Amino acid sequence: MRIVLFCHSLLSDWNHGNAHFLRGVVTELTLRGHEVRVLEPEDAWSLRNLLAEPTGAAVLEEVRTVYPAVRPERYTPDSLDLDRVLDGAHLVIVHEWSPPELVRRLGERRRAGGSFRLLFHDTHHRSVSAREEMARYELTHYDGVLAFGDVIRRIYLEQGWAARAWTWHEAADTRVFHPLPHLAAERDLVWVGNWGDDERTAELHEFLLEPVKALGLKARVHGVRYPDAAREALATSGIEYAGWLPNHRAPQAFSQARVTVHVPRRPYTQALPGIPTIRPFEALACGIPLVSAPWSDAEGLFTPGRDFLVATNGEEMRRHLRALIADEGLCRELAEHGRRTVLARHTCGHRVEELLRICQSLGMSASQCHPLARERSTP
């Protein structure tokens, strides 16, 4: 297939977690024999912020090395020739951080006789936290929506925003996210994440800062957009704040710590059960024991208690962290089980298989969706 992907940015993951999964999907599709063309706006705020970092330009070159199949084309609204971009395309995927005007124009091309299939991809909580904003997207002429949780899939259908929608969870790119056994643990705990615009401030204090301080753990936090008050709170808790971490370096950070935690943002725990976001997938793929603040695994993605431990409050978080730091056997058992689950069910390869089944349900042939299988069967 000739596939066109419109997104905010794949070059940059600065405060932009959607790049993580899509990089892996583009890589997987390319390795399966598909031609993937990625378009992102020239003025993408994530890329601007990445380049403003002291090592931003060098990291951008690293990204191109780690993801050789990811070669986005940057465009301006005036320079984007949709007729030329869509010529010969079989599948077009539009990520939800795309401008509503672009979403509308693509739908018009589909309505006007475009032979490609057109899908909208939603990986955010705005369907509940900013419903009016999401309702502005004109999806009438789209073939359907890829939603990263079943609750979001249902919202699109119930609100009448789309006629068809499929659940398409994020997953780990296991070509990049895997254990690095040659690295020794240098600290007790690492957390990779952004402060969160007050969406989880109280939760970070209860499930991260206070347990680390109470147990006297050697801990490091990576992320961006930490206000002065947040940095002061980290310092008071004895936590090293290490700033921005390019996502492809996260496996190294995980391999140099004994344990990590997951602290979901409030919109996911309160209104969007079943969506863990991508961080747990990536951490478990790296083989690090994980303790999570509460979230409802409504879709049965994991086995809580075996893939990771769940802390319902700060005291339980302290108890779990204390046990893991003291028991290497428990750490190993938890880490191995979590990684096996990811490898069995939650890689970018699994998600590409799901996407190709959706494409076939929309009328694409098996030979289009699986070109390398066709080549192998040709005498």
Side-chain angles (χ1 to χ4, degrees):
M1 287 191 292
R2 295 185 66 185
I3 302 168
V4 179
L5 170 65
F6 289 92
C7 61
H8 173 72
S9 182
L10 287 199
L11 291 173
S12 173
D13 55 50
W14 194 99
N15 196 46
H16 177 54
N18 307 129
H20 306 192
F21 173 57
L22 290 174
R23 288 168 174 170
V25 167
V26 169
T27 299
E28 186 72 28
L29 285 166
T30 302
L31 291 172
R32 291 175 183 231
H34 299 290
E35 176 188 329
V36 187
R37 186 176 182 183
V38 179
L39 290 101
E40 59 181 60
E42 190 174 85
D43 65 343
W45 53 261
S46 179
L47 184 59
R48 288 201 311 271
N49 281 285
L50 179 149
L51 290 172
E53 292 282 346
T55 59
V59 167
L60 197 58
E61 290 307 310
E62 280 185 33
V63 170
R64 292 187 170 109
T65 301
V66 174
Y67 298 96
V70 176
R71 287 289 181 265
E73 303 170 38
R74 300 170 67 195
Y75 67 88
T76 65
D78 293 337
S79 69
L80 182 60
D81 184 342
L82 279 185
D83 292 330
R84 191 170 181 179
V85 169
L86 299 174
D87 184 34
H90 300 105
L91 173 66
V92 179
I93 301 175
V94 190
H95 191 262
E96 81 356 87
W97 277 116
S98 299
E101 173 64 14
L102 174 61
V103 173
R104 180 189 62 78
R105 290 174 62 196
L106 288 165
E108 289 175 350
R109 294 300 197 286
R110 180 73 172 104
R111 179 190 61 181
S115 60
F116 54 87
R117 301 299 185 269
L118 182 59
L119 297 174
F120 188 71
H121 182 210
D122 191 337
T123 58
H124 202 265
H125 58 65
R126 289 188 297 164
S127 59
V128 294
S129 63
R131 192 158 291 194
E132 291 183 3
E133 187 177 324
M134 294 305 295
R136 294 186 310 162
Y137 288 104
E138 178 52 65
L139 303 178
T140 303
H141 306 296
Y142 278 60
D143 292 281
V145 170
L146 302 170
F148 84 141
D150 194 58
V151 61
I152 295 179
R153 179 191 67 82
R154 294 197 304 269
I155 288 171
Y156 273 88
L157 299 177
E158 292 164 0
Q159 294 294 315
W161 294 343
R164 283 180 290 193
W166 297 268
T167 301
W168 199 46
H169 281 283
E170 293 180 311
D173 179 2
T174 51
R175 290 183 177 85
V176 176
F177 287 83
H178 53 78
L180 299 174
H182 63 283
L183 296 178
E186 298 178 356
R187 58 191 55 86
D188 298 313
L189 182 148
V190 68
W191 187 68
V192 182
N194 304 324
W195 190 251
D197 300 321
D198 206 33
E199 289 179 345
R200 56 182 169 196
T201 301
E203 291 86 348
L204 286 170
H205 279 274
E206 180 179 4
F207 292 100
L208 176 62
L209 277 67
E210 293 170 7
V212 167
K213 183 178 181 180
L215 296 173
L217 302 182
K218 183 179 182 181
R220 173 183 284 179
V221 162
H222 291 278
V224 299
R225 298 177 65 187
Y226 278 67
D228 289 342
R231 296 190 189 199
E232 291 171 7
L234 290 173
T236 300
S237 298
I239 299 174
E240 175 193 1
Y241 173 60
W244 174 55
L245 181 72
N247 195 54
H248 64 274
R249 295 183 188 172
Q252 178 177 340
F254 288 136
S255 294
Q256 292 176 318
R258 292 178 177 82
V259 65
T260 190
V261 298
H262 175 49
V263 185
R265 296 171 187 257
R266 209 166 301 129
Y268 293 108
T269 60
Q270 295 183 352
L272 295 172
I275 300 175
T277 73
I278 199 166
R279 294 292 186 187
F281 293 113
E282 293 178 339
L284 294 178
C286 289
I288 185 172
L290 171 70
V291 186
S292 178
W295 69 277
S296 173
D297 188 9
E299 298 182 49
L301 300 174
F302 299 103
T303 305
R306 300 198 68 191
D307 291 321
F308 55 85
L309 302 179
V310 179
T312 57
N313 53 49
E315 172 55 37
E316 198 164 11
M317 177 63 80
R318 289 193 293 274
R319 190 161 63 248
H320 284 325
L321 291 176
R322 184 186 296 113
L324 287 168
I325 296 300
D327 190 337
E328 290 187 10
L330 176 61
C331 281
R332 185 167 53 253
E333 179 182 350
L334 194 66
E336 289 176 353
H337 201 284
R339 178 164 163 76
R340 282 199 302 270
T341 296
V342 169
L343 293 178
R345 302 176 57 193
H346 303 307
T347 69
C348 288
H350 291 103
R351 299 300 182 259
V352 163
E353 284 293 335
E354 294 167 11
L355 175 63
L356 296 177
R357 285 196 293 271
I358 291 169
C359 289
Q360 288 188 249
S361 75
L362 293 172
M364 294 185 177
S365 68
S367 61
Q368 260 187 320
C369 294
H370 303 282
L372 296 186
R374 178 184 59 193
E375 289 178 9
R376 285 193 295 269
S377 64
T378 302

